[in-house]
Amino acid sequence: MGTFHDHLGPLHGITVVVQTNTPTVYVGRCHEAGPTHVILHDADQHTDGENDQTTDQYINQAAKWGVFKKHDTLRIPNDTVTQVTPLNQFPVN
Amino acid sequence: MPYPDLMVQPMRQELIDLSVAELRTAQDVDSFFENPGTAMLVFNSVCGCAAGAARPSVALALQAENKPQHVASVFAGQDTDATEAARARTPQLPPSSPSIVLLKDGQPTHYIPRHRIEGRGPEEIAADITACFDDLANN
């Protein structure tokens, strides 16, 4: 479905998982996956092992319930980003 | 910051026309959560990315035989007191809008958060909602 913000790319407004080349993943509403940064709103982040949760367990829980935001806005440099995937593409177990 | 009423009214009306009660105040929300039995609360939203599909999906789902006894909405970002009151009643659920909460005796039983609405068509979302209705009715 088109929005008023089509110029911001197909992921604008979509809740995504941003995987990186570090132990930290981010989940939030994508504002823009731009040439230098991925910008997320209402975002959470998780580092593998935090709160006794693996990254897979964290993403699984996020896919089922969503996340409580830790950040109003996050800018994640593209040179750390390995993958940006809509959260609803992860199966709910 | 809330959008102008003139812009938002059609989005309110879309649910009002389905006989979905609109909860505009915290007192409205508190009364709704005191209802015994089954209920559905829709967190309505201006967001065109997801809410544009959420409202038609609610319309489709409400055609189901075993729809909840009580159905209402709060408008996130617009009716802030009502929305905060509803969030306070469901503290275990990460806030998102649009989203849909099913309740039994005022307690959340099922949750369809925004990310399970995004990018999907009304029929798909309605199927998820009616699956929740079935589960709610049978448990």
Side-chain angles (χ1 to χ4, degrees):
Chain A
M1 175 182 294
T3 72
F4 297 125
H5 311 122
D6 285 344
H7 64 288
L8 292 171
L11 291 176
H12 173 73
I14 302 295
T15 307
V16 297
V17 178
V18 179
Q19 290 165 296
T20 70
N21 57 15
T22 77
T24 300
V25 296
Y26 304 88
V27 176
R29 198 174 71 254
C30 185
H31 176 71
E32 184 176 12
T36 60
H37 291 78
V38 176
I39 301 172
L40 301 181
H41 292 315
D42 299 333
D44 188 24
Q45 67 180 73
H46 179 269
T47 300
D48 194 31
E50 186 180 339
N51 298 325
D52 292 327
Q53 265 188 326
T54 66
T55 297
D56 284 348
Q57 288 169 331
Y58 168 78
I59 293 174
N60 188 302
Q61 187 172 5
K64 188 167 188 180
W65 300 107
V67 296
F68 288 94
K69 73 169 179 178
K70 287 181 183 152
H71 309 277
D72 289 337
T73 300
L74 267 181
R75 293 169 63 89
I76 307 156
N78 279 355
D79 58 7
T80 67
V81 173
T82 56
Q83 199 159 4
V84 182
T85 311
L87 178 58
N88 64 16
Q89 289 186 12
F90 289 86
V92 176
N93 296 322
Chain B
M1 178 183 297
Y3 288 90
D5 283 344
L6 193 65
M7 177 183 166
V8 171
Q9 187 55 37
M11 303 168 193
R12 296 186 187 278
Q13 199 63 41
E14 209 172 328
L15 293 180
I16 292 169
D17 288 346
L18 300 170
S19 299
V20 175
E22 193 176 32
L23 311 179
R24 301 291 298 265
T25 68
Q27 291 86 345
D28 291 344
V29 170
D30 288 341
S31 298
F32 180 75
F33 272 80
E34 295 305 319
N35 281 321
T38 60
M40 175 169 74
L41 179 62
V42 179
F43 287 87
N44 201 355
S45 168
V46 169
C47 172
C49 307
R55 288 184 294 269
S57 73
V58 169
L60 289 171
L62 287 176
Q63 295 173 20
E65 260 181 39
N66 58 354
K67 64 184 179 185
Q69 295 163 280
H70 311 281
V71 183
S73 72
V74 293
F75 210 127
Q78 296 298 123
D79 298 327
T80 50
D81 287 350
T83 304
E84 280 179 23
R87 302 284 192 219
R89 290 281 191 156
T90 56
Q92 65 275 58
L93 303 178
S96 67
S97 61
S99 61
I100 296 162
V101 182
L102 278 290
L103 307 163
K104 189 158 198 175
D105 297 331
Q107 297 300 312
T109 58
H110 301 77
Y111 185 44
I112 300 177
R114 173 197 167 103
H115 70 269
R116 287 168 55 194
I117 294 171
E118 293 164 348
R120 304 175 73 204
E123 292 81 5
E124 279 182 288
I125 304 163
D128 278 3
I129 299 170
T130 53
C132 292
F133 290 174
D134 293 342
D135 197 44
L136 186 60
N138 294 322
N139 288 293

